[in-house]
């Protein structure tokens, strides 16, 4: 069979047609069944609506999916750093403020342990700055800023003496700053700022009391230790003398008696409370 | 035959359908229904399944028409593409070859003026159709588009998403294979 014959036989398949009833009936049924079409869907649709010229590929891109991916990536790359920068200036009760706190938490998480105390002081400085800005600009988040500041102070826990001194310094500076702001601010904020200034002073005073207690405690401990060693001295000297005499005389029985006596006369161990070093 | 959207009427109909005009889409349906039905039938060889799938193709086409962009690709190429994916879905769901219906039920023989003997015509068609069904999908699709739907190689290439060279190769291989199959069957089809 020639190729031409095969082709002519293939062409006879043109006679395959749907039934006319099917054509007519299906059209009616199809038109009735066609749902109202959605012109856009998901984030692709959203992008098409707002930056359609990019997504449609009419401007730069020949492929819609690629264009959408590029547009979305650009949006993420531009918007996220912009939002982070903008959040740095945000104050409590503003939408971007949570982003600012999230960034701080993240930074704190990745910091080495020895830098965390300095970071806490830096955060406290930021909270104080927020109070000052909110007070000066008449921001609605002033009260929330005050609360954030006090919360930050209450959260402070320092192990190093040097860091405690730094905190005292910061609180002194903040207290003075709040007192100055109170004198310049409107009546509505004056009271709150004065209270905040007083709060800083109270905190500093409480640190001093604590430090004095610590110093006092250390001194008294040292005194007790000295007394104990003083009273212990003659006893020990006497015990050593008795042992030497027993050794010299060579009497085993006498030596055992002296050892037993020494054991009974040993000073009491210090209590647990005495062993604990005060904070 | 409308070969591409360069036909201003079809272009307007497509634009109207994209804008949500169901009546415009109805006209596109009338224009392309037979071709899509035949394309499916040559593969399925079952009238009822072909009818169901034809309807499914047009429903899908309506739902997705918002994403259709011409860009040198005619509307019927878009429909053929949907028909091909619909066929794949159908086989995936049914996991078998469809029932092969007797040929006389599939043909509207009243539209065959060149055959004097309708019974001989049916037999003849049955054999060529069976031979065609034994071809690989891509060869059968190429032969159907070129010789049943009278598309040019360039157009068939666009519809199938292949190069013109690839379509030529598939055509050549398909015809060669068809020739062997028909010869093996004993020349009953020869006149």
């Amino acid at each position: 069979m020639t190729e031409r014959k095969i082709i002519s036989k293939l062409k006879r398949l043109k006679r395959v047609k749907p039934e006319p009833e099917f054509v007519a009936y299906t059209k009616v049924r199809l038109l009735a069944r066609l749902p109202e079409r959605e012109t856009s869907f998901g984030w692709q649709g959203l992008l098409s609506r707002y930056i359609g010229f990019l997504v449609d590929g009419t401007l730069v891109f020949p492929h819609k999916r690629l264009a959408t991916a590029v547009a979305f990536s650009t949006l993420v790359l531009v918007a996220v750093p912009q939002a982070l920068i903008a959040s740095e200036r945000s104050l409590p009760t503003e939408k971007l403020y949570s982003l600012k706190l999230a960034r701080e938490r993240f930074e704190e998480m990745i910091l080495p342990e020895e830098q965390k105390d300095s970071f806490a002081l830096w955060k406290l400085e930021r909270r104080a700055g927020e109070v000052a800005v909110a007070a000066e600009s008449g921001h609605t988040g002033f009260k929330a800023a005050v609360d954030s500041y006090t919360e930050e102070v209450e959260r402070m826990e320092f192990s190093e003496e040097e860091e405690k001194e730094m905190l005292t310094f910061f609180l002194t500076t903040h207290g003075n700053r709040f007192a100055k702001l109170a004198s310049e601010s409107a009546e509505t904020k004056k009271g709150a700022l004065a209270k905040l200034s007083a709060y800083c002073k109270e905190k500093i005073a409480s640190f001093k009391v604590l430090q004095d207690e610590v110093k006092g405690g250390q001194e008294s401990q040292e005194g007790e230790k000295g007394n104990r060693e003083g009273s212990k001295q003659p006893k020990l000297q006497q015990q050593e003398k008795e042992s030497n005499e027993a050794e010299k005389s060579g009497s085993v029985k006498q030596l055992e008696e002296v050892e037993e006596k020494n054991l009974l006369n040993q000073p009491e161990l210090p209590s647990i409370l005495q062993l604990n070093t005060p904070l | 035959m409308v070969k591409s959207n360069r036909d201003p009427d079809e272009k307007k109909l497509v634009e109207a359908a994209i804008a949500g005009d169901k009546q415009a889409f109805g006209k596109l349906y009338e224009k392309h229904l037979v071709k899509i039905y035949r394309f499916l039938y040559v593969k399925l060889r079952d009238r009822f399944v072909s009818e169901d799938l034809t309807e499914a193709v047009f429903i899908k086409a309506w739902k997705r028409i918002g994403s259709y962009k011409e860009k040198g690709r005619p509307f019927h190429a878009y429909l053929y593409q949907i028909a091909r994916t619909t066929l794949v879905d159908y086989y995936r769901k049914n996991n078998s070859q469809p029932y092969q219906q007797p040929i006389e039920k599939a043909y509207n023989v009243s539209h065959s003026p060149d055959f004097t003997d309708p019974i001989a015509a049916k037999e003849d068609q049955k054999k060529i159709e069976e031979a065609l069904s034994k071809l690989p999908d891509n060869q059968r699709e190429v032969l159907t588009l070129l010789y049943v739907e009278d598309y040019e190689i360039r157009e068939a290439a666009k519809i199938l998403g292949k190069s013109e060279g690839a379509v030529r190769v598939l055509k050549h291989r398909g015809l060669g294979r068809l020739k062997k199959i028909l010869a093996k069957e004993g020349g009953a089809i020869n006149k």
Side-chain angles (χ1 to χ4, degrees):
Chain A
M1 189 188 290
T2 61
E3 208 168 80
R4 186 177 285 182
K5 272 189 178 178
I6 293 169
I7 291 169
S8 72
K9 286 182 189 306
L10 280 172
K11 284 186 182 288
R12 285 177 195 163
L13 288 174
K14 282 180 187 174
R15 294 187 309 126
V16 174
K17 283 177 185 172
E19 293 292 326
E21 297 82 31
F22 164 76
V23 177
Y25 174 69
T26 309
K27 188 186 172 186
V28 175
R29 202 168 58 146
L30 187 74
L31 291 178
R33 276 181 66 190
L34 291 181
E36 288 306 320
R37 198 163 38 73
E38 289 173 20
T39 51
S40 60
F41 55 94
W43 62 271
Q44 267 195 336
L46 203 69
L47 284 174
S48 304
R49 196 174 295 165
Y50 296 109
I51 49 171
F53 66 92
L54 274 177
V55 179
D56 288 347
T58 48
L59 187 66
V60 188
F61 301 102
H63 305 294
K64 187 175 177 179
R65 284 189 179 186
L66 179 67
T68 311
V70 169
F72 186 72
S73 311
T74 312
L75 197 72
V76 169
L77 289 172
V78 172
V80 171
Q82 284 294 322
L84 280 171
I85 292 165
S87 73
E88 284 303 294
R89 293 189 296 271
S90 65
L91 293 171
T93 70
E94 284 179 5
K95 281 177 187 170
L96 287 173
Y97 190 70
S98 52
L99 192 65
K100 185 179 181 177
L101 294 183
R103 192 194 145 186
E104 282 179 5
R105 274 196 292 273
F106 176 72
E107 280 179 32
E108 195 171 12
M109 205 168 66
I110 59 168
L111 270 179
E113 203 59 39
E114 65 270 15
Q115 288 180 21
K116 285 195 173 167
D117 286 350
S118 309
F119 187 79
L121 286 170
W122 175 76
K123 277 203 300 180
L124 186 67
E125 182 63 24
R126 272 160 80 90
R127 298 292 91 84
E130 285 162 12
V131 172
V133 172
E136 282 167 350
S137 62
H139 194 272
T140 49
F142 170 73
K143 195 181 172 302
V146 170
D147 292 342
S148 295
Y149 179 83
T150 51
E151 277 168 22
E152 204 66 59
V153 173
E154 295 301 327
R155 223 177 282 143
M156 294 280 170
E157 279 177 6
F158 291 117
S159 51
E160 298 292 327
E161 202 57 42
E162 199 181 317
E163 300 288 356
K164 280 179 195 166
E165 279 173 20
M166 284 296 287
L167 177 59
T168 311
F169 170 76
F170 271 76
L171 286 172
T172 313
T173 318
H174 295 164
N176 293 339
R177 194 175 175 185
F178 295 144
K180 195 182 170 206
L181 275 170
S183 65
E184 292 165 359
S185 296
E187 285 300 319
T188 48
K189 293 190 177 79
K190 200 168 265 189
L193 284 165
K195 270 185 191 172
L196 198 58
S197 175
Y199 168 81
C200 289
K201 281 171 191 165
E202 273 170 29
K203 275 281 158 191
I204 296 162
S206 70
F207 284 149
K208 277 183 181 167
V209 169
L210 201 64
Q211 277 173 339
D212 292 345
E213 279 175 5
V214 170
K215 278 180 187 170
Q218 277 173 346
E219 279 166 11
S220 64
Q221 253 193 344
E222 278 165 14
E224 277 175 22
K225 202 179 165 188
N227 291 340
R228 237 182 279 139
E229 278 175 2
S231 63
K232 192 180 80 176
Q233 205 68 21
K235 273 184 185 175
L236 281 174
Q237 280 171 356
Q238 196 187 343
Q239 281 169 9
E240 277 167 15
K241 199 179 169 186
E242 283 173 3
S243 315
N244 290 338
E245 279 172 7
E247 272 176 24
K248 276 176 191 171
S249 65
S251 160
V252 177
K253 200 180 173 186
Q254 199 180 347
L255 192 66
E256 280 174 355
E257 276 172 8
V258 170
E259 288 293 324
E260 197 180 344
K261 196 179 167 188
N262 288 350
L263 275 172
L264 287 169
N265 288 336
Q266 263 188 353
E268 282 179 16
L269 285 168
S271 72
I272 294 165
L273 280 171
Q274 282 170 325
L275 279 171
N276 282 344
T277 44
L279 292 169
Chain B
M1 182 184 289
V2 176
K3 296 273 175 176
S4 81
N5 288 2
R6 282 176 204 135
D7 173 0
D9 288 343
E10 177 155 298
K11 196 174 180 183
K12 278 180 190 169
L13 287 175
V14 171
E15 282 171 0
I18 290 170
D21 184 344
K22 286 185 184 179
Q23 292 306 321
F25 188 76
K27 285 178 184 165
L28 288 169
Y29 160 83
E30 282 175 355
K31 210 169 213 174
H32 298 290
L33 170 77
V34 176
K35 280 185 280 184
I36 298 300
Y37 171 84
R38 204 153 41 206
F39 182 80
L40 294 168
Y41 180 80
V42 168
K43 171 73 183 169
L44 295 162
R45 298 175 64 208
D46 183 304
R47 199 184 97 193
F48 299 111
V49 177
S50 303
E51 285 177 355
D52 285 349
L53 293 192
T54 304
E55 193 176 345
V57 166
F58 280 93
I59 290 173
K60 281 183 189 173
W62 168 258
K63 283 181 181 171
R64 297 175 192 169
I65 202 167
S67 65
Y68 169 72
K69 298 272 178 240
E70 187 190 337
K71 287 182 188 147
R73 190 163 167 254
F75 185 68
H76 57 250
Y78 166 72
L79 291 175
Y80 277 117
Q81 183 57 45
I82 294 173
R84 291 172 84 200
T85 53
T86 306
L87 268 176
V88 171
D89 290 346
Y90 172 79
Y91 282 123
R92 197 179 291 147
K93 278 179 193 166
N94 292 278
N95 204 21
S96 65
Q97 290 290 316
Y99 161 71
Q100 294 183 354
Q101 195 179 35
I103 195 79
E104 55 273 17
K105 287 190 181 176
Y107 289 84
N108 184 359
V109 287
S110 60
H111 294 82
S112 55
D114 46 335
F115 278 83
T116 48
D117 181 359
I119 297 166
K122 281 175 197 170
E123 283 301 310
D124 201 32
Q125 293 306 315
K126 188 180 177 182
K127 282 175 183 170
I128 189 78
E129 189 203 346
E130 278 174 357
L132 199 59
S133 71
K134 287 175 185 167
L135 294 182
D137 283 355
N138 51 8
Q139 291 176 9
R140 191 189 55 253
E141 283 171 1
V142 165
L143 295 184
T144 308
L145 292 174
L146 294 178
Y147 301 117
V148 182
E149 303 302 338
D150 286 337
Y151 285 112
E152 290 170 9
I153 286 182
R154 182 175 49 84
E155 290 169 319
K158 272 186 186 171
I159 289 167
L160 298 171
K162 295 182 190 299
S163 69
E164 290 181 29
V167 171
R168 277 196 193 92
V169 170
L170 287 169
K171 177 193 117 178
H172 179 73
R173 286 181 185 166
L175 285 173
R177 200 157 178 170
L178 208 56
K179 195 175 172 180
K180 280 183 190 169
I181 294 165
L182 290 170
K184 206 175 175 182
E185 284 179 3
I189 203 164
N190 286 328
K191 284 194 174 181

